[in-house]
Amino acid sequence: MPVRVAVIPAAGLGTRFLPATKVVPKELLPVFDTPSLQHTVDEAIGAGIEHIILISNRAKPAIEMFAEKASGGARITVVYQDSPRGLGHAVECARELVGDAPFAVLLPDELMGDSSHLKDLINEYDATGKATIGLKRVPRNEVSAYGCITPQGVPDATGRVGIRDVVEKPNAVDAPSDLVIIGRYVFGRDLFGFLATLKPAAGGELQLSDAIGNMARTGKVNGVLISCTRHDTGTPMGMLTASIDAALKRRDVGPQLRGWLETRLKGQ
Ligand code: G1P
């Protein structure tokens, strides 16, 4: 069955972006002139997704308005996760709508330059029938911000590697590798079985990484290393660099911004 459904969790309250998120949901803050969530929607559509399930929170009504007006052509359905019970629980909220279909999960805090990485993950899922997770190599002192995997050997020349286990946000010294999860996933419906048996982690949250770890121990998870550019828009600095990058790529404003930056930096 082709991957045509994507789940985008967007229920968080954006505390790292206060005061901006007092009124505007983090996912609707602009990356240059486009809400960051529109970039995620475009990435999904570019990889062949036709139905997007947005997991939101009733405290963020603007997300529903976005869903009604978003451009691109995919159908968008909003589902609510009213209590902050973790990423695993957020994905579980989409269970009924996803049904038996395979599906992608895109975390909107991660902004990819294009749809190529998601397409890679979908192709790998189609070829193997195994859940497929997007990965990136990071410096050891950064692993504690991510889900970190135990690889099965080393990635091949195309960046593919089996995943034996996953640990969410380990200390650098305990981390099993420097390969981390970058917020792009493709799953079959069996993920929901693994989510249903999860025990809440610290803080009462259900971690998606714990479900993937349990699945990986049955030999059913692969990873693919990312090759496109990526920004972490979960922090104000990441959002700023993503905006600059997006504007620099544009023909209408790119040259003007480049000129301004050069003059500005020379003046320092
Ligand atoms: C989430 C996931 C983590 C993943 C990260 C990617 O963490 O739980 O496994 O590595 O996204 O951005 P968060 O950044 O939401 O705390």
Side-chain angles (χ1 to χ4, degrees), residues 85 195 197-207 210:
R85 292 185 50 212
L195 284 173
T197 59
L198 274 190
K199 301 225 160 44
E205 296 199 343
L206 294 180
Q207 294 291 357
D210 290 346

Side-chain angles (χ1 to χ4, degrees), residues 83-114:
S83 52
R85 292 185 50 212
L87 183 56
H89 178 248
V91 173
E92 213 176 11
C93 292
R95 180 177 190 152
E96 215 171 292
L97 275 170
V98 167
D100 288 341
F103 61 103
V105 174
L106 293 84
L107 305 190
D109 273 359
E110 302 275 348
L111 212 72
M112 306 297 160
D114 54 39

Side-chain angles (χ1 to χ4, degrees), residues 25-157:
K26 175 181 68 172
E27 297 79 7
L28 300 185
L29 294 175
V31 172
F32 189 52
D33 61 358
T34 302
S36 90
L37 186 55
Q38 181 69 51
H39 288 281
T40 314
V41 164
D42 289 345
E43 178 194 339
I45 293 171
I49 297 300
E50 295 169 355
H51 182 199
I52 291 171
I53 301 166
L54 268 178
I55 312 299
S56 186
N57 181 315
R58 277 177 228 276
K60 296 162 77 172
I63 294 281
E64 197 162 329
M65 288 162 72
F66 168 87
E68 281 163 17
K69 294 180 182 169
S71 55
R75 182 161 66 96
I76 304 186
T77 313
V78 178
V79 171
Y80 291 105
Q81 180 199 24
D82 283 333
S83 52
R85 292 185 50 212
L87 183 56
H89 178 248
V91 173
E92 213 176 11
C93 292
R95 180 177 190 152
E96 215 171 292
L97 275 170
V98 167
D100 288 341
F103 61 103
V105 174
L106 293 84
L107 305 190
D109 273 359
E110 302 275 348
L111 212 72
M112 306 297 160
D114 54 39
S115 303
S116 59
H117 181 63
L118 186 58
K119 277 187 195 158
D120 264 5
L121 297 185
I122 290 175
N123 289 340
E124 180 70 6
Y125 174 85
D126 284 344
T128 63
K130 292 186 181 184
T132 308
I133 315 294
L135 301 174
K136 181 182 162 73
R137 208 178 280 285
V138 295
R140 280 267 168 181
N141 61 354
E142 290 179 21
V143 286
S144 59
Y146 298 96
C148 180
I149 68 138
T150 306
Q152 211 161 12
V154 289
D156 70 14

Side-chain angles (χ1 to χ4, degrees), residues 16 26 87-88 107 109-110 134 143 145-148 166-169 180-185 205 207-209 212 230 232 234:
R16 280 183 291 184
K26 175 181 68 172
L87 183 56
L107 305 190
D109 273 359
E110 302 275 348
V143 286
Y146 298 96
C148 180
V166 177
V167 52
E168 180 71 2
K169 305 196 173 85
V180 301
I181 295 175
I182 45 93
R184 294 294 178 275
Y185 316 76
E205 296 199 343
Q207 294 291 357
L208 181 60
S209 288
I212 300 170
R230 152 193 175 268
D232 176 2

